[in-house]
Amino acid sequence: MDSINIKKLAEALNFSTSTISRAFRDNSDISAATKSLILEKAKELNYQPNHYASNLREQKSKTIAVIVPELANNYFSQAIHGIERVARENGYHILIYVTDDNYDKEVNFIRHLHNGRADGIIMSVSGEANDHNYLNKFGAKRLPLVFFDRIYEDIKTPRVITNDYNSSFLATEHLIEQGCKRIGYLVVNKTLSIGKTRMQGYIDALAKHNINFEEQLIVDCSNSYEENSTIIKDALTQLKPDGVFTSVERLAFATYYACYDLHLSIPDDLKVISFSSLEIAPLLNPSLTTITQPAAEIGEEAAKLLFKILDDNQDKNVFNEVILQSKIVVRNSTSDSPEKP
Amino acid sequence: MDSINIKKLAEALNFSTSTISRAFRDNSDISAATKSLILEKAKELNYQPNHYASNLREQKSKTIAVIVPELANNYFSQAIHGIERVARENGYHILIYVTDDNYDKEVNFIRHLHNGRADGIIMSVSGEANDHNYLNKFGAKRLPLVFFDRIYEDIKTPRVITNDYNSSFLATEHLIEQGCKRIGYLVVNKTLSIGKTRMQGYIDALAKHNINFEEQLIVDCSNSYEENSTIIKDALTQLKPDGVFTSVERLAFATYYACYDLHLSIPDDLKVISFSSLEIAPLLNPSLTTITQPAAEIGEEAAKLLFKILDDNQDKNVFNEVILQSKIVVRNSTSDSPEKP
DNA sequence: TTGTATGCGTTATCAA
DNA sequence: TTGATAACGCATACAA
């Protein structure tokens, strides 16, 4: 090993390793002169305190793990960006894990992370979860955990969510106001937190406007592109809705493709509104009416929440819930008189 | 600390710590009986070998760092996904760093990573880079590094790229075949690897077809949305091109917005082709003709390349270049008779 | 097959 | 202000 370490740097400067170490931490007493001397030499030799040794010694990693269901989704990449920004400001690094909506992977990631690799976890849960009690099994030893967006309601841990119920209610109402009578709700897992909450908003909005709720208009989709294509085309053909409200971005895209195939016109034959953080929603054909979540901000808030726990150990069990507001942006996919862009 | 460690597990089972350690490593001799006994108890007590202690001891981190210019870009999120997949298969974790196209951040990240935190780096470089000789300063101690897509040509390290020159040539030729006479090239940094290579393809295609090359039709854009909006609108108004070839996805979107504002019709007034990994390019208005890079595959190849270096230390200095093929997908933004979707 | 002892690179405690 | 030393949790060489 020709690599540099604290001992070699100490020898090179005729100091003890403790003095070197002190030069790198802000609190310890050290004369300004020796400190700058050491830092200079360190830069010259490209020395940096070994991260693993420091962490072993200090029992923390300055690293947070981020677990998301998918990456090819504007919402999550924006959220991660927000997390990354706050983490970096706090001198933390982020590890990324993608579950592909696979429950087993999620469990494995979490279990694995309990080896000291990360000081805390920020997670949006996978859509497959049935038994997520595994999180409780860690007991007092569980790593600080913050949920965002897709949460397990029964796990008591800080979370950042948006006003999903309300947004869904308004989204459904918007379709009704645009004249829709048969509104479909497209969802990936209607038992999962967001799928469920959003469905309730949909149901209640129908009720308020005296529209009969038909169970079959709740269309349960999958995570497979091909399956969804079939499911949605069947639904459109057989149920003949005049509007759909999709709980995730991907299903709106699938609906667009289905309409192209079936030669249905959006918005004339079918109006579409969707949760989506797509920045180019205005460029779609037709431009997509969205419920836009403040994704980057959600990430930032989640990170801040985690750092709050990490900072003051005492209120480790404080239950915090941050609710941010989404906003509905009406565009041509729900508007009868589309101003041609 | 009530947390579990190897010693406590050893005591609980009346074994020595070395025996425990052996149970977790595949090579060492240990009887099957004790091994399963230990693993069982470990699971019960939720014990996992401390990552930092192991890594300090073994002098490696089983972690690779991924540095990208941006995250809100389909290309990079797909590439990261590819990297993550290969990394996970190899038992590695990935750290994500976003430079926001800021050169200083890039340098800091790289420097910082030389503290043992990662075993290797996969990077797509920032667009601002002028002096990137800093990478050579690390000398023999430099971490294994693999470039993908946006590279520094003078840094001799393995890289995964696509046939950018050829694709650009064909893209330009495609516009010419569609009848374009004045073709603009929109680029963020024409001196950077990809911006430069892609420009050359453009220039040579013009030459082949005896079209005069006008310097002013090379439009240098920025990373700011607002600035680009102005730049592009000015270019369209003053230069009156009938086709544009954009070197990155973002500039195609900006062009769409500009055309909407200026009431220019794509493709009638202006044809647009762009490098893009956008999966919903068919849904745009009009659907966007793209040069699509195999982003996920690029990520996978980059990771494989890195693992090849990591595995056999001997040929650390092998220079590997993997070239993957992009493909041009013609859609309505360059096609005169758009079949209405 | 299992146990003992040592060191990985760092930092905190204590003494000088 | 600086130096000597022990300890963080684990993995290996060596001994048994």
Side-chain angles (χ1 to χ4, degrees), chain A residues 48-52 55-56 61 63 71 80-81 84 88 93-98 100 111-112 115-117 138 253 257 260 279-280 282-285 341, chain B residues 46 48-52 55-56 61 63 71 80-81 84 93-98 100 105 111-112 115-117 253 257 260 279-280 282-285 341:
Chain A
Q48 292 210 74
N50 181 285
H51 184 246
Y52 289 91
N55 289 152
L56 176 57
S61 66
T63 301
L71 223 38
I80 289 174
H81 200 174
E84 202 257 356
R88 181 156 30 79
H93 299 222
I94 63 170
L95 286 161
I96 299 284
Y97 301 89
V98 182
D100 292 316
R111 194 192 309 285
H112 190 105
N115 65 355
R117 179 136 223 187
F138 294 101
F253 300 155
Y257 282 116
Y260 288 1
E279 281 158 323
I280 55 166
L283 299 187
L284 297 193
N285 185 16
Chain B
N46 246 310
Q48 292 212 73
N50 180 286
H51 181 248
Y52 290 92
N55 289 151
L56 176 58
S61 66
T63 301
L71 222 37
I80 289 174
H81 199 176
E84 202 259 354
H93 298 222
I94 63 169
L95 284 162
I96 299 285
Y97 300 89
V98 182
D100 291 317
K105 279 190 198 163
R111 192 191 310 286
H112 191 106
N115 65 354
R117 177 135 226 189
F253 300 156
Y257 282 118
Y260 288 2
E279 280 158 324
I280 56 165
L283 300 187
L284 296 194
N285 184 19

Coordinates of all heavy atoms in Angstrom, one line a residue, chain A residues 48-52 55-56 61 63 71 80-81 84 88 93-98 100 111-112 115-117 138 253 257 260 279-280 282-285 341, chain B residues 46 48-52 55-56 61 63 71 80-81 84 93-98 100 105 111-112 115-117 253 257 260 279-280 282-285 341:
Chain A
Q48 N -6.7 12.4 3.3 CA -8.0 12.6 3.8 C -8.3 11.6 4.9 O -8.0 10.4 4.6 CB -9.1 12.5 2.8 CG -9.0 13.6 1.7 CD -10.4 13.8 1.2 OE1 -11.2 14.4 1.9 NE2 -10.6 13.4 0.0
P49 N -8.8 12.0 6.0 CA -9.1 11.0 7.1 C -9.9 9.8 6.5 O -10.9 10.1 5.8 CB -9.9 11.8 8.1 CG -9.5 13.2 7.9 CD -9.2 13.3 6.4
N50 N -9.5 8.7 6.7 CA -10.2 7.5 6.2 C -11.6 7.4 6.8 O -11.8 7.4 8.0 CB -9.5 6.2 6.6 CG -10.2 5.0 6.0 OD1 -11.2 4.6 6.6 ND2 -9.7 4.4 4.9
H51 N -12.5 7.4 5.9 CA -13.9 7.4 6.3 C -14.4 6.3 7.1 O -15.1 6.4 8.1 CB -14.8 7.5 5.0 CG -16.2 7.6 5.2 ND1 -17.1 6.7 4.9 CD2 -16.9 8.6 5.8 CE1 -18.3 7.1 5.2 NE2 -18.2 8.3 5.7
Y52 N -13.9 5.1 6.8 CA -14.3 3.9 7.6 C -13.7 3.9 9.0 O -14.4 3.5 9.9 CB -13.9 2.7 6.8 CG -14.8 2.6 5.6 CD1 -14.5 3.1 4.3 CD2 -16.1 2.0 5.7 CE1 -15.3 3.1 3.3 CE2 -16.9 2.0 4.6 CZ -16.5 2.5 3.4 OH -17.4 2.5 2.3
N55 N -15.6 6.5 11.0 CA -16.9 6.1 11.3 C -17.0 4.9 12.3 O -17.8 4.8 13.2 CB -17.7 5.6 10.0 CG -18.0 6.8 9.2 OD1 -18.1 6.8 8.0 ND2 -18.1 8.0 9.8
L56 N -16.0 4.1 12.2 CA -15.9 3.0 13.2 C -15.7 3.6 14.6 O -16.3 3.2 15.5 CB -14.8 2.1 12.8 CG -14.5 0.9 13.8 CD1 -15.8 0.1 14.0 CD2 -13.3 0.1 13.3
S61 N -22.1 7.2 10.3 CA -21.6 7.1 9.0 C -21.7 8.4 8.1 O -21.2 8.4 7.0 CB -22.3 6.0 8.3 OG -23.7 6.3 8.2
T63 N -24.1 9.2 6.5 CA -24.7 8.7 5.3 C -26.1 8.4 5.5 O -26.5 7.8 6.5 CB -24.0 7.4 4.8 OG1 -22.6 7.7 4.6 CG2 -24.6 6.9 3.5
L71 N -36.9 4.6 -10.3 CA -36.1 5.8 -10.6 C -36.6 6.5 -11.8 O -36.4 7.7 -12.0 CB -34.6 5.3 -10.8 CG -33.5 6.1 -10.1 CD1 -33.9 6.6 -8.8 CD2 -32.3 5.2 -10.0
I80 N -35.3 12.8 -4.9 CA -34.0 12.4 -4.6 C -33.0 13.7 -4.7 O -32.2 13.9 -3.9 CB -33.5 11.3 -5.5 CG1 -34.2 10.0 -5.2 CG2 -31.9 11.1 -5.4 CD1 -33.9 8.9 -6.1
H81 N -33.3 14.4 -5.7 CA -32.5 15.6 -5.9 C -32.6 16.5 -4.7 O -31.6 17.1 -4.2 CB -32.9 16.3 -7.2 CG -31.8 17.3 -7.7 ND1 -31.9 18.0 -8.9 CD2 -30.7 17.7 -7.1 CE1 -30.9 18.7 -9.1 NE2 -30.1 18.6 -8.0
E84 N -30.8 15.0 -1.8 CA -29.3 15.1 -2.0 C -28.8 16.5 -1.6 O -27.8 16.6 -1.0 CB -29.0 14.8 -3.5 CG -27.6 14.4 -3.8 CD -26.7 15.5 -4.3 OE1 -27.2 16.6 -4.6 OE2 -25.5 15.2 -4.5
R88 N -26.2 17.0 1.3 CA -24.9 17.6 1.1 C -24.6 18.8 1.9 O -23.5 19.0 2.5 CB -24.7 18.0 -0.4 CG -23.4 18.5 -0.8 CD -23.1 18.3 -2.3 NE -24.2 18.3 -3.1 CZ -24.9 19.4 -3.5 NH1 -24.5 20.6 -3.1 NH2 -26.0 19.3 -4.3
H93 N -23.8 12.0 2.8 CA -23.9 11.4 1.5 C -25.1 10.5 1.4 O -25.7 10.1 2.5 CB -22.7 10.5 1.3 CG -21.4 11.3 1.4 ND1 -20.3 11.0 0.5 CD2 -20.9 12.2 2.2 CE1 -19.3 11.8 0.8 NE2 -19.6 12.6 1.8
I94 N -25.6 10.3 0.2 CA -26.8 9.4 0.1 C -26.5 8.2 -0.7 O -25.9 8.2 -1.7 CB -28.0 10.2 -0.5 CG1 -27.7 10.7 -1.9 CG2 -28.3 11.4 0.4 CD1 -28.9 11.2 -2.6
L95 N -27.0 7.1 -0.2 CA -27.0 5.8 -0.9 C -28.4 5.6 -1.5 O -29.4 5.9 -0.8 CB -26.7 4.7 0.1 CG -25.3 4.5 0.6 CD1 -25.3 3.7 1.9 CD2 -24.4 3.9 -0.4
I96 N -28.4 5.1 -2.7 CA -29.7 4.9 -3.4 C -30.0 3.4 -3.5 O -29.2 2.6 -4.0 CB -29.6 5.5 -4.8 CG1 -29.4 7.0 -4.7 CG2 -30.9 5.2 -5.6 CD1 -30.5 7.8 -4.3
Y97 N -31.2 3.1 -3.2 CA -31.7 1.7 -3.4 C -33.0 1.7 -4.1 O -33.9 2.5 -3.8 CB -31.9 1.0 -2.1 CG -30.6 0.9 -1.3 CD1 -30.2 1.9 -0.4 CD2 -29.7 -0.1 -1.5 CE1 -29.0 1.9 0.3 CE2 -28.5 -0.2 -0.8 CZ -28.2 0.8 0.1 OH -27.0 0.8 0.8
V98 N -33.2 0.9 -5.1 CA -34.4 0.9 -5.9 C -35.1 -0.5 -5.7 O -34.5 -1.5 -6.0 CB -34.1 1.1 -7.4 CG1 -35.3 1.1 -8.2 CG2 -33.3 2.4 -7.6
D100 N -37.8 -1.5 -7.2 CA -38.6 -2.0 -8.4 C -40.0 -2.5 -7.9 O -40.6 -3.4 -8.4 CB -37.9 -3.1 -9.1 CG -36.7 -2.6 -9.9 OD1 -36.8 -1.5 -10.5 OD2 -35.7 -3.3 -9.8
R111 N -33.0 -4.5 6.2 CA -32.3 -5.3 7.1 C -30.8 -5.1 6.9 O -30.1 -4.9 7.9 CB -32.6 -6.8 6.8 CG -32.2 -7.8 7.9 CD -32.2 -9.2 7.5 NE -33.5 -9.6 6.9 CZ -34.6 -9.8 7.7 NH1 -34.6 -9.6 9.0 NH2 -35.8 -10.1 7.1
H112 N -30.4 -5.1 5.7 CA -29.0 -4.9 5.4 C -28.4 -3.6 6.0 O -27.3 -3.5 6.4 CB -28.8 -4.9 3.9 CG -27.3 -5.0 3.5 ND1 -26.8 -6.1 3.0 CD2 -26.4 -4.0 3.5 CE1 -25.5 -5.9 2.8 NE2 -25.2 -4.6 3.1
N115 N -26.5 -2.5 9.5 CA -25.1 -2.9 9.8 C -24.2 -1.7 10.0 O -23.0 -1.7 9.9 CB -24.6 -3.8 8.7 CG -24.4 -3.0 7.4 OD1 -24.8 -1.9 7.3 ND2 -23.8 -3.7 6.4
G116 N -24.9 -0.5 10.2 CA -24.1 0.7 10.5 C -23.8 1.4 9.2 O -23.1 2.5 9.3
R117 N -24.2 0.9 8.1 CA -23.9 1.6 6.8 C -24.5 2.9 6.7 O -23.9 3.8 6.1 CB -24.4 0.7 5.7 CG -24.2 1.2 4.4 CD -23.7 0.1 3.5 NE -22.6 0.6 2.7 CZ -22.0 0.0 1.7 NH1 -22.4 -1.2 1.4 NH2 -21.0 0.5 1.0
F138 N -37.3 -4.6 14.5 CA -36.0 -4.1 14.9 C -36.0 -3.4 16.3 O -35.0 -3.2 16.9 CB -35.5 -3.0 13.9 CG -35.2 -3.6 12.5 CD1 -36.1 -3.5 11.5 CD2 -34.0 -4.3 12.3 CE1 -35.8 -4.0 10.2 CE2 -33.8 -4.9 11.1 CZ -34.7 -4.7 10.0
F253 N -49.8 7.9 -18.9 CA -49.2 7.7 -20.2 C -49.8 6.5 -20.8 O -50.1 6.5 -22.0 CB -47.7 7.4 -20.0 CG -46.9 8.5 -19.3 CD1 -45.8 8.3 -18.6 CD2 -47.4 9.9 -19.4 CE1 -45.1 9.4 -18.0 CE2 -46.7 10.9 -18.8 CZ -45.5 10.7 -18.1
Y257 N -51.5 6.2 -24.6 CA -51.2 5.2 -25.6 C -52.5 4.4 -26.0 O -52.7 4.1 -27.2 CB -50.1 4.2 -25.1 CG -48.7 4.8 -25.2 CD1 -48.0 5.0 -24.0 CD2 -48.2 5.2 -26.4 CE1 -46.7 5.6 -24.1 CE2 -46.9 5.7 -26.5 CZ -46.2 5.9 -25.3 OH -44.9 6.5 -25.4
Y260 N -54.7 6.4 -28.2 CA -54.1 6.4 -29.6 C -54.5 5.2 -30.3 O -55.0 5.2 -31.4 CB -52.6 6.5 -29.5 CG -52.0 7.9 -29.1 CD1 -52.9 8.9 -28.7 CD2 -50.7 8.1 -29.1 CE1 -52.3 10.2 -28.3 CE2 -50.1 9.3 -28.6 CZ -51.0 10.3 -28.3 OH -50.4 11.5 -27.9
E279 N -42.4 17.6 -15.8 CA -42.2 19.0 -16.1 C -42.6 19.4 -17.5 O -42.9 20.5 -17.8 CB -40.7 19.4 -15.9 CG -40.4 19.5 -14.5 CD -38.9 19.4 -14.2 OE1 -38.3 18.5 -14.8 OE2 -38.3 20.1 -13.3
I280 N -42.7 18.4 -18.4 CA -43.1 18.7 -19.7 C -44.6 18.3 -20.0 O -44.9 18.1 -21.2 CB -42.2 18.1 -20.8 CG1 -42.1 16.6 -20.6 CG2 -40.8 18.7 -20.7 CD1 -41.5 15.8 -21.8
P282 N -47.0 20.2 -20.3 CA -47.6 21.0 -21.3 C -47.3 20.6 -22.7 O -47.9 21.1 -23.6 CB -47.0 22.4 -21.0 CG -46.5 22.3 -19.6 CD -46.1 20.9 -19.4
L283 N -46.3 19.8 -22.9 CA -45.9 19.4 -24.2 C -46.5 18.2 -24.8 O -46.4 17.8 -25.9 CB -44.3 19.2 -24.3 CG -43.4 20.4 -23.9 CD1 -42.0 20.1 -24.2 CD2 -43.8 21.6 -24.7
L284 N -47.3 17.5 -23.9 CA -48.0 16.3 -24.4 C -49.1 16.6 -25.3 O -49.6 17.7 -25.4 CB -48.5 15.5 -23.2 CG -47.5 15.0 -22.2 CD1 -48.1 14.0 -21.2 CD2 -46.3 14.4 -22.9
N285 N -49.5 15.6 -26.0 CA -50.6 15.7 -27.0 C -51.8 14.9 -26.6 O -51.8 13.7 -26.8 CB -50.1 15.2 -28.3 CG -51.1 15.4 -29.4 OD1 -52.0 16.2 -29.3 ND2 -50.9 14.7 -30.5
P341 N -52.1 24.8 -28.7 CA -50.9 25.4 -28.2 C -50.1 26.2 -29.3 O -50.1 25.8 -30.4 CB -50.1 24.2 -27.8 CG -50.7 23.0 -28.4 CD -52.1 23.4 -28.8
Chain B
N46 N -30.8 -10.2 15.1 CA -30.6 -9.1 14.1 C -29.2 -8.6 14.0 O -28.9 -7.4 13.8 CB -31.5 -7.9 14.5 CG -32.6 -7.8 13.5 OD1 -32.3 -7.8 12.3 ND2 -33.8 -7.7 13.9
Q48 N -25.7 -8.2 12.2 CA -25.0 -8.1 10.9 C -23.6 -7.6 11.1 O -23.4 -6.6 11.8 CB -25.7 -7.2 10.0 CG -27.1 -7.7 9.6 CD -27.4 -7.2 8.2 OE1 -26.9 -7.7 7.2 NE2 -28.3 -6.2 8.1
P49 N -22.6 -8.1 10.5 CA -21.3 -7.6 10.6 C -21.2 -6.1 10.3 O -21.8 -5.7 9.3 CB -20.5 -8.4 9.6 CG -21.3 -9.6 9.3 CD -22.7 -9.3 9.5
N50 N -20.6 -5.4 11.2 CA -20.6 -3.9 11.0 C -19.8 -3.6 9.7 O -18.6 -4.0 9.5 CB -19.9 -3.3 12.2 CG -19.8 -1.8 12.0 OD1 -19.0 -1.3 11.2 ND2 -20.7 -1.0 12.7
H51 N -20.5 -2.9 8.9 CA -19.9 -2.6 7.6 C -18.6 -1.8 7.7 O -17.6 -2.1 6.9 CB -20.9 -1.8 6.8 CG -20.5 -1.4 5.4 ND1 -20.2 -0.1 5.0 CD2 -20.3 -2.2 4.4 CE1 -19.9 -0.1 3.8 NE2 -19.9 -1.4 3.3
Y52 N -18.5 -0.9 8.6 CA -17.3 0.0 8.6 C -16.1 -0.8 9.2 O -15.0 -0.6 8.8 CB -17.6 1.2 9.4 CG -18.5 2.1 8.6 CD1 -19.9 2.0 8.8 CD2 -18.0 3.0 7.6 CE1 -20.8 2.8 8.0 CE2 -18.9 3.7 6.9 CZ -20.2 3.6 7.0 OH -21.1 4.4 6.2
N55 N -14.9 -3.2 6.5 CA -14.2 -2.5 5.4 C -12.9 -1.9 5.9 O -12.0 -1.9 5.1 CB -15.1 -1.3 4.9 CG -16.3 -1.9 4.1 OD1 -17.3 -1.3 4.0 ND2 -16.1 -3.1 3.6
L56 N -12.8 -1.5 7.1 CA -11.6 -1.0 7.6 C -10.6 -2.1 7.6 O -9.4 -2.0 7.2 CB -11.8 -0.4 9.0 CG -10.5 0.0 9.7 CD1 -9.8 1.1 8.9 CD2 -10.8 0.5 11.1
S61 N -14.6 -1.0 0.3 CA -15.9 -0.5 0.8 C -17.1 -1.2 0.1 O -18.2 -1.0 0.6 CB -16.0 1.0 0.5 OG -16.0 1.2 -0.9
T63 N -18.5 -0.3 -2.4 CA -19.4 0.8 -2.7 C -18.8 1.5 -3.9 O -17.6 1.7 -4.0 CB -19.5 1.8 -1.6 OG1 -20.0 1.1 -0.4 CG2 -20.4 3.0 -1.9
L71 N -30.1 15.0 -12.4 CA -30.9 13.8 -12.1 C -32.3 13.9 -12.8 O -32.9 12.9 -13.1 CB -31.2 13.8 -10.5 CG -31.1 12.4 -9.8 CD1 -30.0 11.5 -10.4 CD2 -30.9 12.7 -8.3
I80 N -28.5 5.3 -14.2 CA -28.3 5.0 -12.8 C -29.0 3.7 -12.4 O -28.4 2.9 -11.7 CB -28.8 6.1 -11.9 CG1 -27.9 7.4 -12.0 CG2 -28.8 5.7 -10.4 CD1 -28.3 8.6 -11.3
H81 N -30.2 3.6 -13.0 CA -30.9 2.3 -12.7 C -30.1 1.1 -13.2 O -30.0 0.1 -12.5 CB -32.2 2.4 -13.4 CG -33.2 1.4 -12.8 ND1 -34.5 1.3 -13.2 CD2 -33.1 0.5 -11.9 CE1 -35.1 0.4 -12.5 NE2 -34.3 -0.2 -11.7
E84 N -27.2 0.6 -10.8 CA -27.6 0.0 -9.6 C -27.9 -1.5 -9.7 O -27.5 -2.2 -8.8 CB -28.9 0.8 -9.2 CG -29.3 0.7 -7.7 CD -30.3 -0.3 -7.4 OE1 -30.9 -0.9 -8.3 OE2 -30.6 -0.5 -6.2
H93 N -23.0 -1.4 -3.3 CA -24.0 -0.3 -3.1 C -23.5 0.9 -3.9 O -22.4 1.1 -4.2 CB -24.1 0.1 -1.6 CG -24.5 -1.1 -0.8 ND1 -25.4 -0.9 0.2 CD2 -24.2 -2.4 -0.7 CE1 -25.6 -2.1 0.8 NE2 -24.9 -3.0 0.3
I94 N -24.5 1.8 -4.2 CA -24.1 3.0 -5.0 C -24.4 4.3 -4.2 O -25.4 4.4 -3.6 CB -24.7 3.0 -6.4 CG1 -26.2 3.1 -6.3 CG2 -24.3 1.9 -7.2 CD1 -26.8 3.5 -7.6
L95 N -23.4 5.1 -4.2 CA -23.6 6.5 -3.7 C -23.8 7.4 -4.9 O -23.2 7.3 -5.9 CB -22.3 6.9 -3.0 CG -22.0 6.4 -1.6 CD1 -20.5 6.6 -1.3 CD2 -22.9 7.0 -0.6
I96 N -24.7 8.3 -4.7 CA -25.1 9.2 -5.8 C -24.6 10.7 -5.5 O -24.9 11.2 -4.4 CB -26.6 9.3 -6.0 CG1 -27.1 7.9 -6.4 CG2 -27.0 10.3 -7.1 CD1 -26.9 7.5 -7.8
Y97 N -24.0 11.3 -6.5 CA -23.6 12.7 -6.4 C -24.1 13.4 -7.6 O -23.9 13.0 -8.7 CB -22.1 12.8 -6.2 CG -21.6 12.1 -5.0 CD1 -21.2 10.7 -5.1 CD2 -21.5 12.7 -3.8 CE1 -20.8 10.1 -4.0 CE2 -21.0 12.0 -2.6 CZ -20.7 10.7 -2.8 OH -20.2 10.0 -1.6
V98 N -24.7 14.6 -7.4 CA -25.2 15.4 -8.5 C -24.4 16.7 -8.6 O -24.3 17.4 -7.6 CB -26.7 15.7 -8.3 CG1 -27.2 16.5 -9.5 CG2 -27.5 14.4 -8.1
D100 N -25.0 19.2 -10.7 CA -25.7 20.3 -11.3 C -24.8 21.0 -12.3 O -24.9 22.3 -12.4 CB -26.1 21.3 -10.2 CG -27.1 20.8 -9.3 OD1 -28.1 20.1 -9.8 OD2 -27.0 20.9 -8.0
K105 N -18.1 21.4 -7.8 CA -18.7 20.3 -7.1 C -18.1 19.0 -7.5 O -17.8 18.1 -6.7 CB -20.2 20.3 -7.3 CG -21.0 21.2 -6.5 CD -22.5 20.9 -6.6 CE -23.3 22.1 -6.1 NZ -24.7 22.1 -6.6
R111 N -12.4 14.5 -5.0 CA -11.3 14.6 -4.0 C -11.8 13.9 -2.7 O -11.1 13.1 -2.2 CB -11.0 16.1 -3.7 CG -9.8 16.2 -2.9 CD -9.6 17.7 -2.4 NE -9.7 18.7 -3.4 CZ -8.8 18.9 -4.4 NH1 -7.7 18.3 -4.4 NH2 -9.0 19.9 -5.3
H112 N -13.0 14.2 -2.4 CA -13.6 13.7 -1.2 C -13.6 12.1 -1.2 O -13.4 11.5 -0.2 CB -15.0 14.2 -1.0 CG -15.6 13.9 0.3 ND1 -15.7 14.9 1.3 CD2 -16.0 12.8 0.9 CE1 -16.2 14.3 2.4 NE2 -16.4 13.1 2.2
N115 N -11.2 9.1 0.1 CA -10.9 8.8 1.5 C -11.4 7.4 1.9 O -11.6 7.0 3.0 CB -11.7 9.8 2.4 CG -13.2 9.6 2.3 OD1 -13.6 8.9 1.4 ND2 -13.9 10.3 3.1
G116 N -11.5 6.6 0.8 CA -11.8 5.2 1.1 C -13.3 4.9 1.0 O -13.7 3.8 1.2
R117 N -14.0 6.0 0.8 CA -15.5 5.8 0.9 C -16.0 4.9 -0.2 O -17.0 4.3 -0.1 CB -16.1 7.2 0.8 CG -17.5 7.3 0.8 CD -18.0 8.3 1.7 NE -19.1 7.8 2.5 CZ -19.9 8.5 3.3 NH1 -19.6 9.8 3.4 NH2 -20.8 7.9 3.9
F253 N -37.1 20.3 -25.6 CA -38.3 20.8 -24.9 C -38.3 22.4 -25.0 O -39.4 22.9 -25.2 CB -38.2 20.4 -23.4 CG -38.1 18.9 -23.2 CD1 -37.6 18.4 -22.0 CD2 -38.7 18.1 -24.1 CE1 -37.6 17.0 -21.8 CE2 -38.6 16.7 -24.0 CZ -38.1 16.2 -22.8
Y257 N -41.3 24.7 -26.5 CA -42.0 25.9 -25.8 C -41.8 27.1 -26.6 O -42.7 27.9 -26.8 CB -41.4 26.1 -24.4 CG -41.9 25.1 -23.4 CD1 -41.0 24.2 -22.8 CD2 -43.2 25.1 -23.0 CE1 -41.5 23.3 -21.8 CE2 -43.7 24.2 -22.0 CZ -42.8 23.3 -21.4 OH -43.3 22.4 -20.5
Y260 N -44.2 27.1 -29.5 CA -45.6 27.4 -29.0 C -45.7 29.0 -28.9 O -46.7 29.6 -29.3 CB -45.8 26.8 -27.6 CG -46.0 25.3 -27.7 CD1 -45.9 24.5 -28.8 CD2 -46.3 24.6 -26.5 CE1 -46.0 23.2 -28.8 CE2 -46.4 23.2 -26.5 CZ -46.3 22.5 -27.7 OH -46.5 21.1 -27.6
E279 N -39.0 8.3 -22.6 CA -39.8 7.1 -23.0 C -41.2 7.6 -23.6 O -41.8 6.8 -24.3 CB -40.0 6.2 -21.8 CG -38.8 5.3 -21.6 CD -38.8 4.8 -20.1 OE1 -39.1 5.6 -19.2 OE2 -38.3 3.7 -19.9
I280 N -41.6 8.8 -23.3 CA -42.9 9.2 -23.8 C -42.7 10.2 -25.0 O -43.7 10.9 -25.2 CB -43.8 9.8 -22.7 CG1 -43.0 11.0 -22.0 CG2 -44.2 8.8 -21.7 CD1 -43.9 11.8 -21.2
P282 N -43.2 9.6 -27.9 CA -44.4 9.5 -28.8 C -45.6 10.3 -28.4 O -46.5 10.5 -29.1 CB -44.7 8.0 -28.8 CG -43.5 7.3 -28.3 CD -42.9 8.3 -27.4
L283 N -45.6 10.7 -27.1 CA -46.8 11.4 -26.6 C -46.7 12.9 -26.7 O -47.6 13.6 -26.4 CB -47.0 11.0 -25.1 CG -47.3 9.6 -24.8 CD1 -47.6 9.4 -23.3 CD2 -48.4 9.0 -25.6
L284 N -45.6 13.4 -27.2 CA -45.4 14.8 -27.3 C -46.2 15.4 -28.5 O -46.7 14.6 -29.3 CB -44.0 15.2 -27.5 CG -43.0 14.9 -26.3 CD1 -41.7 15.6 -26.5 CD2 -43.6 15.2 -25.0
N285 N -46.4 16.7 -28.4 CA -47.2 17.3 -29.5 C -46.3 18.3 -30.3 O -46.0 19.4 -29.8 CB -48.3 18.1 -28.8 CG -49.2 18.8 -29.8 OD1 -49.3 18.4 -31.0 ND2 -50.0 19.7 -29.4
P341 N -51.9 11.0 -34.5 CA -51.9 9.9 -33.6 C -53.2 9.4 -33.2 O -54.1 10.2 -33.1 CB -51.1 10.4 -32.4 CG -51.2 11.9 -32.5 CD -51.3 12.2 -33.9

